[in-house]
Amino acid sequence: MRIFLDTANIAQIRQGVKWGVVAGVTTNPTLVASEGLKDYKSVVQEICAIVDGPVSAEVTVEGVDAMLAQGRDIAKWHENVVVKIPATAEGLEVTAKLAAEGIKVNMTLCFSANQALLAALAGAAFVSPFVGRLDDIGQDGMALVKEIMDIYKEYDFDTEVIAASIRHPMHCTAAAKAGSDIATVPFKVLEQMMKHPLTDAGNARFLADWRRVSGQS
Ligand code: G3P
């Protein structure tokens, strides 16, 4: 499973890339707005200059024609840009048309196996089941990821699954066990994935013991 960062925060992306584990980035209008940034295009282009991998940027308009026009424009921002389109009926039409033009689409806001099936049939490069938001309403978000993986394997679809709306490190482990192609995670969750108190305590003890016998303390 690859890890994407789910953020529009440039400093977080720079740090994640330094750790050598960030293979892509996903953004959405909420994430960009939360950085107080206005120009979506320049933010996405800056991210593309930092990360050598897919960078998702979402359409911010409604209606087939408007989404198509904006999707085509977003696709020109950088060769690694993936256009995020909502998993609606209109979004399906837009996805099919963009995919036919060779534009990579990430169908987002996916909450059912049928939406994911249709996303694959329409030619989406990625589909993003929102795990945390399903958990929030008392449904098992990770069960949806497993269901989609089963269906995609059964029919050999090329569409890659991005476990999204990840809220904590256990979601990452569960997504990996479910066979998800990618998990897109907030920076805080990426930090939590590597953190373990026994590692920190053990490391502090090793260093203290070494300082003692080597006369450094
Ligand atoms: O990747 C989708 C993500 O940005 C949504 O996360 O936590 O707002 O449900 P959340």
Side-chain angles (χ1 to χ4, degrees):
M1 183 176 81
R2 280 132 59 214
I3 299 284
F4 288 2
L5 269 181
D6 193 31
T7 183
N9 182 293
I10 299 295
Q12 292 179 349
I13 294 166
R14 282 192 200 286
Q15 183 59 66
V17 166
K18 278 191 209 160
W19 286 333
V21 292
V22 172
V25 170
T26 51
T27 69
N28 62 40
T30 303
L31 290 172
V32 175
S34 73
E35 296 302 319
L37 304 166
K38 298 235 163 40
D39 184 6
Y40 202 169
K41 179 178 176 179
S42 61
V43 174
V44 168
Q45 286 177 330
E46 193 174 357
I47 295 171
C48 288
I50 301 168
V51 182
D52 185 20
V55 175
S56 290
E58 190 153 347
V59 293
T60 54
V61 291
E62 288 179 296
V64 170
D65 291 343
M67 282 196 281
L68 256 182
Q70 197 186 33
R72 288 180 181 129
D73 181 50
I74 289 173
K76 289 186 198 135
W77 291 356
H78 190 279
E79 60 182 359
N80 286 347
V81 165
V82 175
V83 181
K84 249 178 157 182
I85 302 285
T88 60
E90 288 186 334
L92 198 60
E93 183 176 339
V94 173
T95 296
K97 287 188 169 139
L98 292 179
E101 294 171 20
I103 293 172
K104 286 192 173 170
V105 171
N106 173 359
M107 276 218 108
T108 187
L109 290 164
C110 171
F111 293 100
S112 79
N114 281 333
Q115 288 176 319
L117 173 60
L118 294 175
L121 291 172
F126 303 94
V127 68
S128 293
F130 272 33
V131 174
R133 290 192 195 184
L134 279 172
D135 290 355
D136 287 346
I137 60 162
Q139 293 184 23
D140 183 351
M142 206 52 71
L144 173 61
V145 174
K146 287 191 197 116
E147 222 179 345
I148 297 170
M149 293 314 300
D150 287 347
I151 293 168
Y152 281 12
K153 266 190 209 130
E154 184 70 28
Y155 297 102
D156 230 1
F157 287 129
D158 292 333
T159 307
E160 291 197 286
V161 176
I162 305 179
S165 183
I166 293 285
R167 302 282 173 74
H168 50 70
M170 282 172 65
H171 271 154
C172 300
T173 309
K177 287 171 78 174
S180 189
D181 298 291
I182 297 144
T184 189
V185 307
F187 183 74
K188 182 179 166 219
V189 174
L190 182 61
E191 286 181 310
Q192 290 170 328
M193 285 172 76
M194 198 58 193
K195 187 89 181 154
H196 200 290
L198 292 180
T199 304
D200 294 343
N203 197 34
R205 173 74 185 273
F206 287 158
L207 292 173
D209 287 347
W210 188 252
R211 275 195 295 269
R212 189 168 41 76
V213 293
S214 62
Q216 291 172 33
S217 61

